[in-house]
Amino acid sequence: MRRDARALEAALAALDAEHLKRRRRTVDSYVREGDRVDAVVDGQRLVDFCGNDYLGLARHPEIARAFSEAATRWGTGSGAAHLVSGHGLEHQRLEEALAEYTGRERALLFSTGYMANLAAVTALAGPGDLVMLDRLNHASIIDGARLSGARFKRYPHGDAASAEEELRAASKDSERATLLATDAVFSMDGDMAPLPALARACRDQQTWLVVDDAHGLGVVGPTGRGTLEHFGLDAEEVPLLIGTFGKAFGTFGAFAAGNANLIELLLQKARTYIYTTALPQPLAAATRAALEVSQRESWRRERVCELAIRFRRGASQLGLPLAPSTTPIQPVILGDAEAAMAAQEQLMAAGFWVTAIRPPTVPAGSARLRVTLSATHSDEQVDLLLSALERACAPRVAPRHAAAS
Ligand SMILES: *Cc1c(COP(=O)(O)O)cnc(C)c1O
């Protein structure tokens, strides 16, 4: 873009014209009623059905206490990068807890999941390598592949057979793929990657498998240890696991977990680990508390899964266009960005906060309302949301969806 006020204005106007302009809303406060926490935006109380606080831990008193006690004890800032003087006891304890939680030799903290994914891909792949990605991977994985300088290929979403075929073809051409990276639970769709088949194919082709379980950890699997637990996959089958704290665990930050040498390589080489300030210790302390609370209060996981089933049952009775997701991410796909925006506004007027997700976050023509459930929602709130969705979406459901239901 030229350095020119008109060019800037035109770029913004173009977004607006395509219904792709994004807008923030400021949460003025939270109103708590028992376990329930509503957001207040522009004086209006909204039930949040679009956040990633699946277990309702983001405003949990015990976790908040761990945060503030650690702030008093350790201070607010780490003061330096981990490899300088910023690595503290709370970081160390959390890494040990995460290694145990994920059943891996070692875990390494990152400030964000975005940075952890950049680290994973760039530490293992570089110019001359080939990287395989699911077409709907999170932006941070794609950016990792771009930044690595490797060539990358994207296989059709969730298609393990295509991925395997591509891996085989690559090794025949003597350009073996260095790594395959995928979301475990896809962030905008809620479905799971076919991890057992991908793990087999990657092992056969000696390709690293990197799995980002940002949305599965804490929620999926018999004890909430994530999508790998759900599928019964171990550290041998999935050598590098990425997780984030900003979703089910209700704090902020991320980690990579794997065998000791692999993690040591990340620590030595990953630029998003080396050249950045260490996560504040209060966040590490709060996250360790969140790990404990998420396991002790297992009703939260059971509850959010129950609500996802309730939502799906209700939505399918109403003929709403659901996606094949069994997780708390339940998108209602409307297709058109304008329709999704209009539905979002209508829901907001009814007291429900459900953001419309538009391209380029999702492919063109698949704009959607990304509904997410949380353990703190009540049955009644879910039922009321369904009625509001029926009113907001009925006129906007694409005919092929309406016919299919
Ligand atoms: C949210 C998300 C990330 C980024 O994590 P942050 O800690 O928010 O930077 C990475 N991967 C996936 C799949 C995500 O949904």
Side-chain angles (χ1 to χ4, degrees), residues 112-115 117 138 140 183 185 187 212 214-215 244 246-247 253-254:
T112 68
Y114 204 114
M115 292 161 84
N117 279 329
H138 190 264
S140 56
D183 289 24
V185 172
S187 52
D212 172 2
H215 296 277
T244 60
K247 279 133 192 181

